[in-house]
Amino acid sequence: MQGYASVLVSTDWVQEHLNDPTIRIVEVDVDTTAYETGHIPGALAFNWQTQLQDPIRRDIVSKADLEQLLSELGIGNDHLIVLYGDHNNWFAAYAFWLLRMYGHERLALMDGGRKKWLAEGRPVTTEVPRYPRTEYRAKEPDLSLRAFYTQVRESLGQPTVALVDVRSPQEYTGEILAPPGLMETAQRGGHIPGARNIPWALTVREDGTFKSPDELRQLYEPQGITPDKEVIVYCRIGERSSHTWFVLKYLLGYPRVRNYDGSWTEWGNIVGAPIERDVPTTAQEASISAPCPPGW
């Protein structure tokens, strides 16, 4: 393992450990059909729409349903789960956040995700692996890693709390409600009052790998996003903000970081929720050069 505090592994490392029985590799994509077209040999898949969320309520998957999913896939409590996916690991990071909330300790992201693996011409297969069933047991969710609407609302204006909007500048200002082609939207555009716009895409290089610690610190600290504060991150539905949550908590070591997975599709739909559309000068300077890849 290599990278920051053993939470990142390289594509080289993954290829060297394809046959390691103590590891389960799992692909989690925005495009839930991508896995079927070819994936890392031995990799399993999570469908974020049907397996990582409650099928009726808008909420994360229940403890019982997660236990059933992991048990049926052959993932045990002692396995190192290596997650990767498309869009620079958006939903791989979401799965990391979810599994950490439910107490799984041995987790890592593959730096660069699906994009880097394919760009390097590494092996892929369409074969779906079958592993012996386990009896996975999750812990009760650690809600210190998650923010809810009422917590965010009560935090507004508090100097000890920092809000980070990781969406594109166009979403932040309310010019658009969602990236092109994505369905989940809100009744109103804009951002949570006081939130700084630091798009998730600024944290990665062209090949999808994470930037260095010094480069990452330069994104956040000048914006007042510092380790002494409680930081709440959000996007549209919680997947891009999971990516930034991972950066702040595990790559930079911030002690108190929450992912507000209700994000803008909750906030922008609640009657009476305060909304801003102006862009503070410093936030604008930080986000003006933010790249906007397909899907944002």
Side-chain angles (χ1 to χ4, degrees), residues 245-261:
W245 171 87
F246 178 84
V247 168
L248 290 169
K249 186 165 184 65
Y250 288 98
L251 304 192
L252 292 182
Y254 282 37
R256 295 177 298 155
V257 189
R258 294 178 184 264
N259 181 27
Y260 172 34
D261 57 306

Side-chain angles (χ1 to χ4, degrees), residues 113-221:
R114 179 181 172 91
K115 173 183 177 180
K116 192 170 192 291
W117 185 273
L118 295 177
E120 293 170 344
R122 296 183 184 273
V124 295
T125 182
T126 57
E127 181 178 351
V128 177
R130 297 282 183 258
Y131 297 109
R133 180 185 171 86
T134 63
E135 293 299 329
Y136 191 91
R137 291 293 177 262
K139 296 180 180 179
E140 293 300 318
D142 178 1
L143 297 182
S144 70
L145 306 181
R146 190 183 191 191
F148 296 91
Y149 171 80
T150 53
Q151 292 172 308
V152 180
R153 182 73 182 260
E154 291 168 0
S155 75
L156 298 185
Q158 293 188 17
T160 58
V161 180
L163 292 171
V164 182
D165 185 320
V166 316
R167 298 174 299 163
S168 68
Q170 293 87 346
E171 291 170 275
Y172 178 76
T173 60
E175 179 183 341
I176 64 173
L177 293 176
L182 298 184
M183 296 172 54
E184 302 91 348
T185 60
Q187 289 293 309
R188 299 291 186 270
H191 57 269
I192 299 174
R196 314 304 287 182
N197 183 214
I198 307 175
W200 73 273
L202 294 177
T203 66
V204 294
R205 304 183 182 94
E206 178 60 31
D207 66 354
T209 58
F210 288 103
K211 292 180 179 178
S212 70
D214 286 342
E215 291 173 304
L216 294 174
R217 276 189 285 270
Q218 284 302 310
L219 288 176
Y220 298 104
E221 292 185 2

Side-chain angles (χ1 to χ4, degrees), residues 262-279:
S263 283
W264 193 253
T265 51
E266 178 177 52
W267 192 277
N269 277 320
I270 291 181
V271 174
I275 291 173
E276 285 184 350
R277 289 181 176 171
D278 62 305
V279 182

Side-chain angles (χ1 to χ4, degrees), residues 65-85:
D65 286 345
L66 180 69
E67 289 175 334
Q68 181 178 346
L69 171 66
L70 299 185
S71 296
E72 290 178 349
L73 290 176
I75 298 174
N77 288 81
D78 293 332
H79 279 119
L80 168 62
I81 302 176
V82 177
L83 299 151
Y84 78 99

